[in-house]
Amino acid sequence: DDKAVHGILVQLPLPKHINEDKVLASIPHHKDVDGFSAQNIGNLCLKGGEPPLAVPCTPAGCVELIQRTGVDVKGKDAVVVGRSNIVGMPMAHLLRSMDCTVTVCHSRTKDIKAHVRRADILVAAIGKAEFIKGDWIKPGAIVIDVGINDKEDKTKKRGYRLVGDVDFAAAKKVAAHITPVPGGVGPMTIAMLLRNTLNLARHASGLERLILRRDRGYKDVVDSSQGEGAKE
């Protein structure tokens, strides 16, 4: 109830003896700076009703990166590899709000390669080092690599290097746009966390929130639930 506190962040994952769901449920949605609360996620997914006060940071950062390419994504085939509550599922809903045709792949999906090969937009968030190969990528695709994994590299002092879920060296020869690991999605996640914090502070002060982006005729992604309800 402290009005001087506008946002609360819980660093996940928590130790196994702590109930993560209970901890997250205890945070009021108007101070949920991660955008993970049931109310914020629900409002993100629903058509009509109130928009979320905060959007999950990594998916929001991915949307920012996609829109910065200048590509009109309406009607494009988007494939999200991974279905976590933190990245995969909110990412799929955000892409849907941008009028993409969205497929979510996961560990039980048959022939992931075939789904990836038709993706105009690929968001990889499966947590497996270089799982997606360069010859899976559709020529001219937008590739957003959320993964961050250790890969053995004896030339490095620490004995490993960081890689994404996509084979970057091969994929960059095919994709029109691709994010590196590290230095791609990670900094955008931090930027979106700060944006969420600012928006919650503005909400507490009765000010309008800053939209994610409103470029090239896209609906306000933060207010996507309202936009879709009106259209359909």
Side-chain angles (χ1 to χ4, degrees):
D1 296 328
D2 188 347
K3 293 183 179 180
V5 176
H6 298 116
I8 300 172
L9 181 147
V10 178
Q11 185 63 54
L12 301 176
L14 294 174
K16 292 182 179 180
H17 68 283
I18 298 177
N19 188 313
E20 186 173 295
D21 292 336
K22 285 186 177 180
V23 171
L24 293 177
S26 70
I27 300 174
H29 81 285
H30 58 276
K31 295 189 179 185
D32 168 33
V33 75
D34 269 326
F36 292 157
S37 72
Q39 186 164 344
N40 280 325
I41 290 292
N43 285 335
L44 175 68
C45 298
L46 289 174
K47 298 176 183 178
E50 292 295 320
L53 296 180
V55 177
C57 303
T58 297
C62 293
V63 168
E64 181 75 20
L65 289 166
I66 290 167
Q67 294 189 129
R68 292 287 180 127
T69 67
V71 175
D72 185 353
V73 303
K74 293 177 183 175
K76 299 288 188 181
D77 285 320
V79 174
V80 179
V81 182
R83 56 178 173 179
S84 71
N85 289 332
I86 294 174
V87 180
M89 296 315 295
M91 187 73 241
H93 287 294
L94 287 169
L95 288 166
R96 175 185 54 80
S97 80
M98 297 164 69
D99 293 327
C100 295
T101 301
V102 183
T103 300
V104 177
C105 297
H106 46 80
S107 60
R108 303 294 183 183
T109 299
K110 296 180 179 179
D111 199 357
I112 291 180
K113 182 194 298 187
H115 290 286
V116 171
R117 278 183 165 166
R118 63 178 176 77
D120 301 304
I121 301 164
L122 171 66
V123 180
I126 200 170
K128 294 183 178 181
E130 298 179 337
F131 175 79
I132 295 171
K133 309 307 179 186
D135 62 359
W136 297 14
I137 305 299
K138 182 178 181 179
I142 298 170
V143 179
I144 307 295
D145 193 346
V146 179
I148 186 162
N149 312 280
D150 296 344
K151 182 176 181 179
E152 184 179 358
D153 187 341
K154 294 181 180 179
T155 67
K156 301 295 183 181
K157 184 177 180 180
R158 55 191 176 183
Y160 68 91
R161 59 189 171 92
L162 297 177
V163 299
D165 292 349
V166 178
D167 181 350
F168 180 82
K172 71 178 182 179
K173 298 175 183 177
V174 185
H177 306 274
I178 186 169
T179 60
V181 177
V185 173
M188 290 305 304
T189 297
I190 297 169
M192 295 300 105
L193 179 65
L194 294 173
R195 188 188 67 83
N196 276 351
T197 304
L198 176 58
N199 272 337
L200 292 178
R202 290 174 66 88
H203 174 76
S205 300
L207 300 174
E208 291 185 1
R209 115 188 116 262
L210 303 176
I211 62 173
L212 186 53
R213 284 183 70 83
R214 195 193 293 272
D215 288 353
R216 294 168 293 281
Y218 291 143
K219 295 184 292 295
D220 173 356
V221 177
V222 173
D223 290 341
S224 61
S225 56
Q226 289 183 332
E228 284 215 348
K231 189 174 83 169
E232 298 183 8

